[in-house]
Amino acid sequence: MNLDRHRLAIEKLYTDKATLYRHIQTKDPVTKETKLSPQPVYTDQPCRISQRTLAANNQTEVQNDIQYEVKLFIAPEFEIRQGDLIEVTRGNVTRKYLAGEPFPYPTHQEVSLQRKEWA
């Protein structure tokens, strides 16, 4: 099996862009306090997202919670950790997700993403 040809075929479907953020310890220059803050690790990487589960409608009188999961398809050489923040842009729409544990293949990796925002 020619994995390079399979990988090229999969990557032709990558129409989205992903920026991955990881919480890294940084020192505030003013207060000298060390804290965790999200820092970009990979920027504008080609990828593809696909909806995994349908959104649940959790409408209340006060708020409408948005909760659903998507699956991210991306090149296997990127180190993605559970808990990383991933911002995906499709066309003119950018959404933020929380990464689950990645599942690597020789040609790509699949990562479960969860979106939780208020509408």
Side-chain angles (χ1 to χ4, degrees):
M1 180 185 311
N2 187 336
L3 294 178
D4 292 334
R5 283 192 1 210
H6 287 283
R7 181 173 176 169
L8 286 173
I10 291 170
E11 289 180 350
K12 284 183 181 181
L13 300 173
Y14 290 175
T15 57
D16 307 325
K17 297 284 185 183
T19 299
L20 182 136
Y21 298 87
R22 186 166 293 142
H23 284 94
I24 299 173
Q25 285 190 351
T26 56
K27 192 171 196 174
D28 188 303
V30 177
T31 65
K32 307 293 187 218
E33 181 181 346
T34 301
K35 60 182 178 178
L36 290 174
S37 63
Q39 301 293 318
V41 178
Y42 306 112
T43 306
D44 291 332
Q45 298 302 317
C47 67
R48 177 78 175 202
I49 56 171
S50 176
Q51 188 168 356
R52 185 172 166 185
T53 59
L54 294 174
N57 185 0
N58 295 326
Q59 178 72 42
T60 66
E61 290 182 25
V62 179
Q63 69 190 29
N64 183 24
D65 291 334
I66 299 172
Q67 291 183 323
Y68 63 89
E69 288 185 21
V70 297
K71 190 179 284 191
L72 173 74
F73 298 86
I74 196 164
E77 59 268 7
F78 297 115
E79 180 192 357
I80 298 175
R81 300 177 188 165
Q82 186 171 350
D84 284 345
L85 304 171
I86 300 179
E87 191 175 74
V88 179
T89 301
R90 172 175 278 180
N92 295 328
V93 178
T94 300
R95 293 200 168 110
K96 295 178 183 177
Y97 301 93
L98 185 64
E101 185 175 357
F103 193 87
Y105 293 95
T107 54
H108 69 287
Q109 63 180 315
E110 297 178 14
V111 184
S112 177
L113 302 178
Q114 188 171 26
R115 179 174 180 231
K116 284 189 176 181
E117 293 188 32
W118 289 355

